[in-house]
Amino acid sequence: MAQLERITGPLIPAQGVDSVIARMQAVAAHLPPQDGVAVFNRIYLSVTEAVDHAIDQGCRGGFPDRAAAVALDVRFAERYLTAVDAAACGVRPPACWRPVLQFRSHPGVRPLQFALAGINAHIGHDLALAVVDTCRTLDCEPDCLEDEFDRVGDVLVSLEEHIREELMPGPDLLQVADPLTHLLGSWSLERARDGAWAAARALWALRELPPLQAEFAQRLDASVGLVGRMLLTPLPAFPG
């Protein structure tokens, strides 16, 4: 994994969505396809490419405020890439990402579980902090980013069904997959997105109280990590 750190490089200032797409492509190139991080990275790369396309559309149905959209998307992606780089360097990553990083090679965890646990970490924790990061970068209030936040969320929601269809076992395994169906049915991207927006507004409101803001962020990280650990509960192997 040290080689991966040299490829992706350290956290860099926002340089546009193309820069984070290139870094995700570097992650993909240096991980086996079945690795749990690689599973999430494939999904997130496709999401980021879709967002990049929507940003390029501008007022033709994409993001009206291109600068705000780029800043939010890049700050959002940096949170995930920093966690990957931290793990590669032997540095303790945020709690929300530890389950994916710790169970990434577990034979009892399904690809769909890795995908949704990664989305849980990234939406539940990273998105809230990315909104605050972007507000500081642009010197604006969270409400100024609500349209961009909603459009990023819309892209993610539209891809959730595709993720489930691509990674869910086929109908012939439906009965065996019941525990997986039950586990994943308890998590909702829509609810996670709503929670991220509420958390972002709370963190911004606490900016004049740094110790309290830090405590809130720490507890958010821990609670999202707990959900991720539950999503990665190892399940019985499907019969061959």
Side-chain angles (χ1 to χ4, degrees), residues 117-140:
I119 294 173
N120 170 70
H122 204 38
I123 299 295
H125 173 265
D126 293 354
L127 184 54
L129 272 65
V131 170
V132 175
D133 292 342
T134 306
C135 287
R136 289 173 177 153
T137 298
L138 300 180
D139 191 21
C140 69

Side-chain angles (χ1 to χ4, degrees), residues 168-222:
M168 192 71 179
D172 56 323
L173 295 176
L174 183 58
Q175 185 172 354
V176 178
D178 277 347
L180 178 60
T181 304
H182 175 76
L183 182 67
L184 301 179
S186 64
W187 187 85
S188 165
L189 193 151
E190 290 269 15
R191 290 196 296 270
R193 184 178 67 166
D194 290 345
W197 181 245
R201 297 182 66 188
L203 285 165
W204 185 252
L206 293 171
R207 66 190 182 282
E208 303 298 335
L209 301 169
L212 190 56
Q213 185 190 55
E215 181 180 354
F216 185 95
Q218 182 180 24
R219 295 192 182 278
L220 175 67
D221 187 23

Side-chain angles (χ1 to χ4, degrees), residues 6-59:
R6 290 196 297 271
I7 293 296
T8 62
L11 182 64
I12 58 176
Q15 295 178 351
V17 181
D18 288 347
S19 67
V20 295
I21 288 176
R23 291 173 69 189
M24 287 183 222
Q25 290 170 338
V27 171
H30 289 83
L31 291 177
Q34 68 273 18
D35 181 281
V37 174
V39 172
F40 170 75
N41 191 79
R42 286 195 298 274
I43 298 300
Y44 189 33
L45 177 57
S46 68
V47 169
T48 305
E49 289 171 339
V51 171
D52 188 33
H53 177 69
I55 290 172
D56 288 342
Q57 289 183 351
C59 292

